[in-house]
Amino acid sequence: MVNYQWAVEEYKKLDYAQKKVRLMTLFEIFQAHSKSIQEMLPLLKNDQIREEEMIQAYKNLTSAMEIVEKKNISKLSSQMDQLHAKIEEIRRREAEEAKNDNPEDLLKRL
C-alpha cells in the first residue's frame, strides 16, 4: 500500500516546476471525474495557481486515491473471505463423502 502522507511530504520538497508537472499528471488522470479539475487544469498550465493551492490540491487527490485504494482492498478482502468459505465448504463436503464411501464400492468402480 502506498504511504500517501510520505508522498505529500516528498511533494512539498519539490521545486515549483516539479510540483506543477506532478499535479498536472494527477489532474489529467482525475479530470474525467471532476468538473472542477477540468477547470483548474488550464489555470495550472498557465501558472495561475499558487504553490500553497498546488500542495492542497495534491493532498486532496492523494487522499482520494487512498480512500479508493482502501475500498478496493476491503472489497478484495471480502472476496477472498468468500472464496475461502467456499473452499472450506467443499473440503468439508469431500471429507464427509469420504467418510461415507465404502472402500469395496470404490474397488468395484475401478
Side-chain angles (χ1 to χ4, degrees):
M1 182 184 275
V2 176
N3 181 339
Y4 291 97
Q5 185 56 41
W6 175 84
V8 170
E9 293 306 316
E10 290 300 307
Y11 181 78
K12 289 178 183 178
K13 295 176 187 176
L14 301 174
D15 65 35
Y16 182 87
Q18 292 169 320
K19 284 178 184 161
K20 180 179 175 180
V21 169
R22 290 225 181 139
L23 187 57
M24 283 181 61
T25 301
L26 285 178
F27 273 2
E28 288 169 354
I29 292 168
F30 282 89
Q31 73 178 335
H33 307 287
S34 171
K35 183 169 174 39
S36 61
I37 289 177
Q38 292 171 11
E39 293 171 359
M40 289 175 67
L41 192 54
L43 297 176
L44 181 60
K45 286 179 181 176
N46 295 317
D47 295 318
Q48 296 175 333
I49 294 180
R50 295 189 324 264
E51 199 161 350
E52 303 83 42
E53 295 167 330
M54 290 170 57
I55 292 170
Q56 187 60 51
Y58 190 85
K59 283 182 184 178
N60 292 349
L61 291 173
T62 56
S63 178
M65 290 166 42
E66 185 175 22
I67 290 167
V68 167
E69 183 177 356
K70 284 181 181 177
K71 284 183 179 180
N72 286 341
I73 288 172
S74 294
K75 181 179 176 182
L76 176 62
S77 178
S78 174
Q79 290 172 339
M80 292 302 291
D81 290 344
Q82 291 172 4
L83 176 60
H84 182 259
K86 287 178 184 177
I87 290 170
E88 289 300 311
E89 176 61 23
I90 290 168
R91 286 184 179 160
R92 187 194 61 72
R93 275 191 263 137
E94 287 175 346
E96 194 64 35
E97 289 173 6
K99 282 185 204 175
N100 297 330
D101 281 343
N102 182 345
E104 290 179 16
D105 290 341
L106 291 174
L107 290 174
K108 289 179 188 176
R109 283 190 246 162
L110 294 174

